[in-house]
Amino acid sequence: MYIPAINQVTDLGEIIDFIQKFSFGTIISTVQGRPVATQLPFVSHLSNNKIILRAHFAKANKQWKHIAVQESLLIFQEPHAYISPKYYEKEQNVPTWNYMTVHLYGKARVVDSLEETKAILEESINFFEKDYQAQWVSLSETYKSNMIQGIVAFEMEVSEIQAKKKISQNRSEKEQEQIAQALSQSNLSHEQQIADYMKKK
């Protein structure tokens, strides 16, 4: 990914916060010379300054067969916002787009055991909806086992991170304030989120 120095993000804490907040990522592999992608919810954390991600495929999705033998690319992208040149001080300007994205590279380890697959599912439940845990526990072991047979869980340790935050850092303070103010009043949540990130910078 092309990342100008002004837009590069290197802080691991900021990166992990971003991918935990916008956790529905895209995993991309190459199958017979052709890119193949699947959107999945990921659970992530830091371990010894390495990002670890866990998720699962439907077993019928054959992409899982390729993720352990080659490097995959994971993309987390959201939020984003159109930026009108009307917020700039000079007339000679063009529209642009503000956005944030994280690209992660790594090889995955496909999980073989029923117990570890179940543990990854339960980690996902705890991350996305803790309140569902009681209902999950109440389900019969036969039902849960049958469900687990239909998925393939995996874990990936990230070997390379490319993180980009393009939020008008190249504009004047006045222009940044005008853009952030306008986006904060938008009815679109992703534009409001960009405004929040601009105000935090």
Side-chain angles (χ1 to χ4, degrees):
M1 172 170 57
Y2 168 64
I3 312 177
I6 196 171
N7 302 129
Q8 187 170 28
V9 181
T10 57
D11 182 88
L12 269 179
E14 184 175 359
I15 291 166
I16 198 75
D17 285 348
F18 180 82
I19 63 177
Q20 286 178 345
K21 184 173 183 178
F22 303 103
S23 54
F24 195 64
T26 301
I27 181 167
I28 302 168
S29 311
T30 303
V31 180
Q32 297 179 339
R34 188 181 188 196
V36 174
T38 301
Q39 287 71 41
L40 298 172
F42 285 86
V43 176
S44 55
H45 68 275
L46 282 176
S47 177
N48 298 320
N49 284 326
K50 287 276 191 179
I51 296 176
I52 308 296
L53 301 115
R54 298 190 183 99
H56 66 270
F57 286 98
K59 190 173 282 187
N61 181 347
K62 301 306 180 186
Q63 187 180 353
W64 69 264
K65 294 185 175 182
H66 302 272
I67 60 172
V69 295
Q70 63 174 264
E71 188 175 57
S72 294
L73 166 63
L74 273 64
I75 298 177
F76 296 88
Q77 182 163 334
E78 214 36 73
H80 60 87
Y82 171 81
I83 307 301
S84 169
K86 69 184 178 183
Y87 302 118
Y88 298 150
E89 295 176 273
K90 295 179 181 178
E91 186 176 341
Q92 283 202 153
N93 273 294
V94 294
T96 189
W97 216 272
N98 277 5
Y99 63 92
M100 298 175 65
T101 185
V102 174
H103 291 193
L104 304 175
Y105 293 85
K107 272 189 182 178
R109 176 182 66 85
V110 174
V111 172
D112 294 321
S113 77
L114 180 69
E115 283 307 307
E116 191 175 1
T117 300
K118 186 178 175 184
I120 288 175
L121 279 182
E122 291 179 349
E123 180 183 42
S124 180
I125 290 168
N126 284 328
F127 183 77
F128 291 107
E129 189 186 8
K130 260 184 190 172
D131 291 344
Y132 176 67
Q133 185 69 32
Q135 184 176 336
W136 169 258
V137 170
S138 72
L139 300 175
S140 74
E141 289 303 317
T142 301
Y143 177 82
K144 287 190 278 192
S145 178
N146 288 338
M147 292 292 292
I148 290 171
Q149 295 301 322
I151 67 170
V152 176
F154 66 94
E155 178 181 88
M156 179 182 290
E157 181 179 296
V158 173
S159 57
E160 183 182 347
I161 303 168
Q162 298 176 2
K164 184 174 184 177
K165 179 165 63 176
K166 182 181 177 293
I167 52 171
S168 301
Q169 297 100 317
N170 62 326
R171 309 309 307 191
S172 69
E173 285 293 326
K174 181 180 179 182
E175 289 170 334
Q176 290 182 46
E177 287 173 9
Q178 289 178 164
I179 293 166
Q181 180 64 22
L183 294 178
S184 67
Q185 294 172 354
S186 170
N187 293 325
L188 302 174
S189 61
H190 54 273
E191 293 189 347
Q192 294 169 11
Q193 288 164 341
I194 284 289
D196 291 341
Y197 278 108
M198 291 183 72
K199 291 172 183 176
K200 284 179 194 171
K201 69 172 178 63

